[in-house]
Amino acid sequence: MLPATELVVGRMYALGAFGSGADAAAVLAMVTAAVVIALLRGQQVSCGCLGKVWER
């Protein structure tokens, strides 16, 4: 559900549907919380942003 929310908010923000970045900041807070929870559970978090460059 989180990726879908990110896409919707990103698209609306790009189209100028938001007056401020409050909604984008809320999505960023949700993503940050999800990463923190995963790290606290001992899971390895990989965004895949740089492909195999950062893989261990």
Side-chain angles (χ1 to χ4, degrees):
M1 178 113 178
L2 187 58
T5 304
E6 287 180 288
L7 288 172
V8 169
V9 170
R11 181 166 290 184
M12 291 180 75
Y13 192 71
L15 294 174
F18 294 130
S20 69
D23 295 319
V27 171
L28 178 62
M30 290 186 332
V31 171
T32 302
V35 169
V36 168
I37 290 170
L39 290 174
L40 289 174
R41 291 181 177 176
Q43 298 173 340
Q44 185 176 3
V45 178
S46 173
C47 69
C49 301
L50 297 174
K52 295 185 181 283
V53 173
W54 292 101
E55 241 178 62
R56 296 180 191 187

